Amino acid sequence: MFNTAFCSFNLRCNQRDMHALLNFKQGVTDTSGVLSSWSTERDCCEWKGVMCSNITSRVTGITLPCSATLQSYEDKMDRSHCLTGSIHLSLLLVELELLDYLDLTNNDFLELQFDYLHNHTCHNLSMATSSRQCVNSSTLRHLDLSHNWNLVINTLKWLPYISSLEYLNLRRIDLSKETNWLQSVTMLPSLSHLNMRDCELKDLSLSLQYANFTKLQFLSLSANEFNSELPKWLFNLSSGIYDLYLSSSSLKGYLPKALLNLHELKDLALDDNNFDGPIPDWLGEFEHLETLCLGDNMFSGSIPTNLGNLSSLITLDVSSNPLTGVVSERNLAKLSKLKNLEISSCSTLIFDFDSHWIPPFQLEELTLGFSNPNLPAWLYTQRSIQFLTIWDSSFKASNKFWNFISRVTEIELQGNLIDGNISNVLLNSTIIYLSSNCLKGGLPILSSNVIYVSLSNNSLSGDMSPLLCGHNVSNEKNNLLFLDISLNNLSGGLTNCWNNWKSLVAVHLGTNNLSGKIPSSMGLLSNLKSLHLHENKLHGEIPHSLKNCHSLLVFNVRNNDLSGNIPDWISKSVMALQLRSNNFIGKIPPQICQMSSLLILDIAYNAIYGHIPSCLGNIKTLVFNNASVNKFRFYSPSFDEDSYLFNDDNLELVTKGQVLEYDKNLHFMTLIDMSSNNLSGAIPFQMFSLIGLLSLNLSNNKLAGKIPNEIGNMKNLESLDFSTNQLGGEIPQSLSSLSFLGYLNLSFNNLTGKIPSGTQLLGFSTLSYIGNRDLCGSPLTKMCFQDDKHKGKELVDEDGNQSKFLTWFYIGLESGFVTGFLGVCCAIFLNRNMRHVCFKLLYNLRDQLYIMVNVNMNPFH
């Protein structure tokens, strides 16, 4: 129907259409020249993304999707080369009278403009222009604005003015403020395809009995925030809907049998919700069903054998439910078209397959989780598997098993009890995830096909040479991007074979028994972004060759025996620098202040001395932290073309007085920890301009001077520790304004005066303030007498010591009380049996008076 080449019969582009396109271009920001061909020097039917009728040369379509990939450790998907700005949709519909197709997928548009007037002559559809032209709503059939992640649309009231729409895709657009979305989309009588996945919708109109979808065939409302049961209008659709996607939307309750009203269904996706009760056996009555996804819910009981009647089924997912009972060939015997099978349970699910059974299907994807001790024998009959997942199971892995998985593109075995030794096993898959399986032996061998490998949290031992320095890697081109062998029992050095692995982006070797120095060959990893060497026995200085790792974002060497000065050449792009618990000496290099992306600076427990650089206040990301989930995340394209495999960096940080591990939430954390060093001097007031900082720990140093009043600027601070220093003066009143402060430790300093009033500070215990002998006021038991009412009275001298007047004032007060009390005793207790009580109390009071006089007269107290 469409032709982007020169039009037939040598007809030229319609001039009005050309001007309409140029008007659209004028409202768009195009920094990469996507629309550079849109020039009057060429026929507009030859412009990039413009489709014209091959008969009339009128513009009938615009297709300008942007191709963008998600990069590891980037704040977001790079769309700098995509179109941005505003979409003047109503202007396009007015001026392009025959526009039928509009695709602006995956760009970075920020605003959608649709201007109309309530003009009865235009059927309530008009454009606010000088010519008062009406929006032509009878031609546009296809509108795709999906994946414009920064596009916010507050209302969909403009939709009914495009009544010809048949295809509408608004996936990943923010519609959180639109509460009547259903009313708007049901006013499109020709709509057959509606995709509103991940639009932050919250209302499913539960009170509505009927929704006027007369031609709807495809509906996706997945990844929204409904938090409700399925609505009644869904079961009463008059159209023959084929595809229904409601995954990841916080839906709950039992599955109602009224779903059978949608008897034409081919795809039904209800996974990752909170549905409960048994899996209904009536699901086996959907004759045309090809996809059934019920995974990640709370379904209980056994898997109904009726599901085995779904002979058209291609995908069956019942994984990650608390299912029990037995699964056998009876559940699967008729599923000859099956390509994707996911069966696992977070309870007790027993596989009881005949060892000689040969399934009628050949799977491409398989997920298993079972309770019995052996793998099902039919697994080895599957010759087409590309993706294999086994978790929370127990089995023996023989050579036959390792040979079998070498043909699988992606393997994910996690949380299993695998009886197997992987020494010298050749791993050939592109993606290999073998974490937490109790694997034993030495390291395996990697083929050049491997891109991602994680062997963390096993019981692997020996050195790293078989993996990195074997004969099979020295002369081959390797493609490995991600290597994680942390949390094992590996020993020996880090080897010097890193020149064979220059493609590496992330290296995780922490929590082993590795020793020796960091080899200089690691500096050849010029693509390296994440390096974790923590909790080993490494010594010596950090090699200068790591200066070549210009892209390094995470550098973690905590808990080793490394020494020397903190390098002044570490990459300025570093976001997390963790050097704690080593033997580093010298001063803090001012080059750290040039790390404009720094979020975490942890140099605690070293021998660093000197002053804290005042330039730390210049670190931009700590002035304002724009949290992004992607900052500490490695991405890799998955076998499923619409998804990614990712791995979150994790760091162990000390904050709020305890050791906490941050992984998926690491991107929210901002921290400076310089505790337990030999830092001296005053705390620079510039440091308190870091208003994005959440945790600040300067404890166990030799810092002196006052706490600057500017500390009140740190409005986001949650944890503050200045304990065991030599800080003096009063606690600034501004500290009480930090409303998010959940942990405070000012103990063992030389702070004086009254603890500032305010709910936030009074909520802390005495442990936050002890060891400051001249500090008083709640929550301490020591009372303050120099409050506002007594500031003009000299009860305290210039040095903060109590005056002689105050000492004799206490003596007079005490002796007067004793005399008066004695008189009362003698008058009341004339009974001789009670006299000894009176005298005993008198002697006690005399002792207290003696102690008080001595304490107040002692100048060294």
Side-chain angles (χ1 to χ4, degrees):
M1 180 178 179
F2 302 122
N3 183 9
T4 58
F6 194 77
C7 306
S8 300
F9 311 114
N10 204 29
L11 295 175
R12 291 189 60 79
C13 165
N14 180 277
Q15 291 298 300
R16 181 176 176 182
D17 289 354
M18 181 183 68
H19 288 299
L21 292 171
L22 291 175
N23 286 337
F24 171 77
K25 178 182 179 181
Q26 189 175 7
V28 168
T29 302
D30 178 20
T31 56
S32 298
V34 175
L35 305 180
S36 60
S37 64
W38 288 30
S39 167
T40 55
E41 297 177 359
R42 299 177 63 181
D43 189 282
C44 74
C45 290
E46 297 177 336
W47 293 356
K48 179 179 180 179
V50 176
M51 300 183 292
C52 293
S53 167
N54 58 7
I55 297 175
T56 65
S57 292
R58 296 298 302 271
V59 173
T60 54
I62 300 174
T63 173
L64 293 168
C66 183
S67 176
T69 56
L70 196 55
Q71 300 295 325
S72 295
Y73 301 100
E74 296 295 334
D75 284 358
K76 56 186 177 181
M77 188 175 288
D78 182 15
R79 286 191 169 87
S80 59
H81 58 288
C82 300
L83 298 176
T84 184
S86 298
I87 304 172
H88 295 272
L89 184 57
S90 52
L91 185 63
L92 277 176
L93 296 179
V94 166
E95 297 185 345
L96 295 176
E97 299 170 328
L98 300 181
L99 189 66
D100 173 84
Y101 191 99
L102 180 59
D103 181 1
L104 299 175
T105 308
N106 211 37
N107 280 284
D108 194 25
F109 286 106
L110 307 175
E111 182 183 21
L112 177 72
Q113 293 188 12
F114 196 98
D115 306 315
Y116 51 86
L117 294 174
H118 297 293
N119 185 324
H120 294 290
T121 62
C122 288
H123 306 288
N124 285 339
L125 187 60
S126 58
M127 181 64 193
T129 63
S130 58
S131 59
R132 300 183 64 82
Q133 294 167 298
C134 300
V135 175
N136 190 333
S137 62
S138 61
T139 60
L140 189 64
R141 295 184 303 107
H142 183 109
L143 177 60
D144 193 340
L145 304 176
S146 61
H147 294 285
N148 280 271
W149 291 4
N150 293 315
L151 180 58
V152 178
I153 299 178
N154 294 329
T155 178
L156 294 176
K157 290 181 179 179
W158 49 272
L159 268 180
Y161 296 105
I162 316 176
S163 59
S164 54
L165 274 178
E166 298 175 8
Y167 179 103
L168 178 62
N169 191 345
L170 302 177
R171 180 176 177 176
R172 290 299 301 264
I173 290 176
D174 186 351
L175 297 172
S176 57
K177 294 184 179 179
E178 173 55 275
T179 57
N180 295 315
W181 63 271
L182 186 59
Q183 179 182 357
S184 296
V185 296
T186 53
M187 296 177 71
L188 300 171
S190 302
L191 193 65
S192 63
H193 183 111
L194 177 61
N195 191 338
M196 301 180 77
R197 178 186 176 93
D198 199 5
C199 290
E200 300 186 39
L201 301 173
K202 296 180 176 63
D203 185 18
L204 263 178
S205 301
L206 294 180
S207 61
L208 191 67
Q209 292 289 329
Y210 296 93
N212 189 29
F213 289 117
T214 57
K215 295 187 178 181
L216 195 64
Q217 298 179 358
F218 178 101
L219 176 61
S220 176
L221 298 174
S222 296
N224 284 293
E225 305 166 11
F226 295 127
N227 193 30
S228 68
E229 298 178 346
L230 291 173
K232 294 182 176 63
W233 59 261
L234 188 63
F235 317 130
N236 298 323
L237 293 177
S238 58
S239 62
I241 190 167
Y242 298 126
D243 306 295
L244 180 60
Y245 296 92
L246 297 171
S247 308
S248 309
S249 290
S250 301
L251 296 168
K252 57 188 178 182
Y254 281 33
L255 290 187
K257 195 171 183 178
L259 262 178
L260 282 176
N261 294 346
L262 310 179
H263 53 85
E264 299 291 331
L265 274 180
K266 290 185 177 181
D267 295 337
L268 177 61
L270 302 173
D271 51 299
D272 193 21
N273 281 293
N274 297 309
F275 292 115
D276 54 17
I279 296 176
D281 58 0
W282 48 258
L283 286 171
E285 300 178 29
F286 280 105
E287 298 180 6
H288 309 289
L289 207 60
E290 297 177 358
T291 298
L292 177 60
C293 295
L294 304 174
D296 290 286
N297 279 285
M298 296 300 294
F299 291 117
S300 56
S302 60
I303 299 173
T305 55
N306 277 14
L307 297 187
N309 297 330
L310 300 172
S311 58
S312 298
L313 210 60
I314 297 173
T315 296
L316 174 61
D317 176 10
V318 292
S319 62
S320 301
N321 284 286
L323 298 170
T324 55
V326 176
V327 180
S328 69
E329 57 268 21
R330 291 179 56 202
N331 298 87
L332 307 173
K334 298 179 182 179
L335 307 182
S336 60
K337 297 181 180 179
L338 203 63
K339 296 295 182 185
N340 181 4
L341 175 62
E342 300 185 33
I343 299 180
S344 66
S345 173
C346 45
S347 184
T348 304
L349 192 64
I350 298 173
F351 283 7
D352 186 22
F353 292 97
D354 188 301
S355 60
H356 300 291
W357 179 62
I358 298 177
F361 47 75
Q362 281 294 319
L363 298 174
E364 295 177 357
E365 299 184 45
L366 175 61
T367 297
L368 297 176
F370 48 88
S371 299
N372 39 313
N374 297 309
L375 289 166
W378 60 262
L379 172 65
Y380 297 106
T381 69
Q382 302 300 299
R383 300 179 302 276
S384 302
I385 290 182
Q386 297 296 308
F387 186 97
L388 175 64
T389 299
I390 304 176
W391 53 35
D392 297 333
S393 301
S394 175
F395 60 93
K396 184 174 183 178
S398 61
N399 288 336
K400 182 179 181 181
F401 175 76
W402 296 117
N403 290 333
F404 172 77
I405 67 171
S406 68
R407 304 192 304 267
V408 179
T409 303
E410 292 187 28
I411 57 172
E412 181 179 347
L413 311 182
Q414 183 179 9
N416 299 292
L417 181 57
I418 299 178
D419 181 8
N421 187 316
I422 63 170
S423 300
N424 299 317
V425 167
L426 177 63
L427 298 178
N428 188 51
S429 305
T430 303
I431 305 294
I432 301 169
Y433 197 90
L434 296 177
S435 295
S436 305
N437 292 297
C438 300
L439 292 169
K440 298 181 178 65
L443 290 172
I445 301 170
L446 302 181
S447 81
S448 59
N449 294 326
V450 181
I451 291 176
Y452 178 107
V453 60
S454 176
L455 299 166
S456 66
N457 197 27
N458 283 290
S459 299
L460 302 177
S461 57
D463 61 37
M464 295 172 57
S465 297
L467 185 85
L468 299 175
C469 306
H471 63 86
N472 63 305
V473 300
S474 58
N475 297 316
E476 284 191 79
K477 175 176 172 55
N478 296 294
N479 300 299
L480 191 64
L481 299 177
F482 184 97
L483 172 65
D484 186 353
I485 49 178
S486 61
L487 292 161
N488 280 288
N489 299 316
L490 300 173
S491 57
L494 293 179
T495 79
N496 207 26
C497 301
W498 296 98
N499 57 306
N500 297 321
W501 305 91
K502 295 179 183 179
S503 57
L504 277 166
V505 171
V507 175
H508 295 244
L509 307 178
T511 316
N512 280 288
N513 293 312
L514 298 170
S515 57
K517 296 183 178 183
I518 300 175
S520 59
S521 63
M522 293 197 89
L524 298 173
L525 305 179
S526 58
N527 297 312
L528 197 64
K529 293 192 174 182
S530 177
L531 179 58
H532 292 260
L533 303 174
H534 58 281
E535 294 179 8
N536 281 290
K537 299 175 181 177
L538 303 174
H539 65 268
E541 298 185 3
I542 297 174
H544 194 270
S545 62
L546 288 185
K547 183 179 181 180
N548 298 323
C549 301
H550 302 293
S551 302
L552 195 62
L553 302 178
V554 180
F555 186 49
N556 173 15
V557 293
R558 74 169 188 269
N559 291 86
N560 279 286
D561 293 317
L562 297 170
S563 57
N565 293 326
I566 296 177
D568 57 7
W569 41 259
I570 292 177
S571 169
K572 294 179 181 179
S573 61
V574 163
M575 293 190 297
L577 179 61
Q578 189 167 46
L579 309 178
R580 76 179 294 121
S581 299
N582 279 282
N583 299 311
F584 291 111
I585 59 172
K587 297 181 178 181
I588 299 173
Q591 287 81 2
I592 283 182
C593 305
Q594 300 173 18
M595 297 178 183
S596 58
S597 300
L598 194 64
L599 296 172
I600 294 169
L601 175 60
D602 186 356
I603 57 174
Y605 285 90
N606 283 286
I608 300 166
Y609 58 83
H611 293 188
I612 298 174
S614 60
C615 63
L616 286 177
N618 299 331
I619 301 177
K620 295 178 181 178
T621 45
L622 295 180
V623 174
F624 180 74
N625 177 26
N626 185 17
S628 170
V629 71
N630 301 327
K631 284 180 179 176
F632 295 104
R633 177 168 286 181
F634 171 87
Y635 282 94
S636 177
S638 180
F639 164 74
D640 182 352
E641 61 183 17
D642 197 33
S643 65
Y644 285 84
L645 175 76
F646 62 86
N647 185 87
D648 290 301
D649 271 68
N650 68 300
L651 288 176
E652 193 176 87
L653 302 173
V654 177
T655 182
K656 299 180 181 179
Q658 53 189 323
V659 179
L660 299 175
E661 186 168 343
Y662 289 81
D663 40 47
K664 293 180 180 179
N665 55 349
L666 181 60
H667 62 282
F668 287 117
M669 191 59 181
T670 51
L671 171 145
I672 292 179
D673 190 346
M674 300 179 177
S675 60
S676 300
N677 281 287
N678 294 314
L679 297 172
S680 58
I683 303 174
F685 70 89
Q686 294 91 339
M687 178 175 259
F688 300 109
S689 65
L690 303 177
I691 59 176
L693 198 63
L694 300 181
S695 181
L696 177 59
N697 190 347
L698 304 178
S699 64
N700 290 287
N701 280 289
K702 299 175 182 178
L703 298 172
K706 295 183 177 181
I707 300 175
N709 193 57
E710 287 81 1
I711 196 170
N713 298 331
M714 307 181 81
K715 300 298 183 183
N716 295 302
L717 203 63
E718 297 177 1
S719 177
L720 177 65
D721 192 344
F722 287 167
S723 63
T724 319
N725 277 289
Q726 299 166 15
L727 298 173
E730 297 185 351
I731 299 173
Q733 180 66 43
S734 62
L735 192 60
S736 63
S737 66
L738 302 182
S739 55
F740 293 108
L741 196 63
Y743 177 84
L744 175 67
N745 192 350
L746 302 177
S747 63
F748 299 101
N749 278 285
N750 299 319
L751 298 173
T752 62
K754 183 180 179 181
I755 297 173
S757 57
T759 307
Q760 199 67 27
L761 296 186
L762 295 180
F764 297 112
S765 71
T766 56
L767 296 177
S768 296
Y769 305 102
I770 61 171
N772 293 279
R773 64 180 183 180
D774 293 326
L775 204 57
C776 60
S778 179
L780 298 176
T781 56
K782 184 176 181 179
M783 300 293 292
C784 295
F785 290 91
Q786 60 270 37
D787 57 18
D788 291 342
K789 295 181 180 179
H790 300 88
K791 280 185 178 178
K793 301 179 181 178
E794 296 188 3
L795 300 182
V796 178
D797 62 21
E798 293 179 353
D799 297 323
N801 297 319
Q802 292 179 324
S803 65
K804 293 181 179 180
F805 167 79
L806 186 59
T807 300
W808 289 108
F809 170 77
Y810 282 128
I811 296 172
L813 184 66
E814 191 79 10
S815 58
F817 174 77
V818 171
T819 304
F821 181 79
L822 180 60
V824 172
C825 282
C826 293
I828 296 177
F829 301 110
L830 294 177
N831 187 323
R832 62 184 296 176
N833 294 329
M834 296 296 295
R835 287 178 188 171
H836 70 284
V837 176
C838 184
F839 283 114
K840 184 176 181 180
L841 288 172
L842 179 60
Y843 286 134
N844 287 339
L845 287 173
R846 183 197 65 179
D847 293 340
Q848 290 184 25
L849 177 62
Y850 174 80
I851 293 170
M852 191 168 186
V853 170
N854 276 278
V855 167
N856 283 282
M857 293 295 289
N858 189 346
F860 300 104
H861 174 69

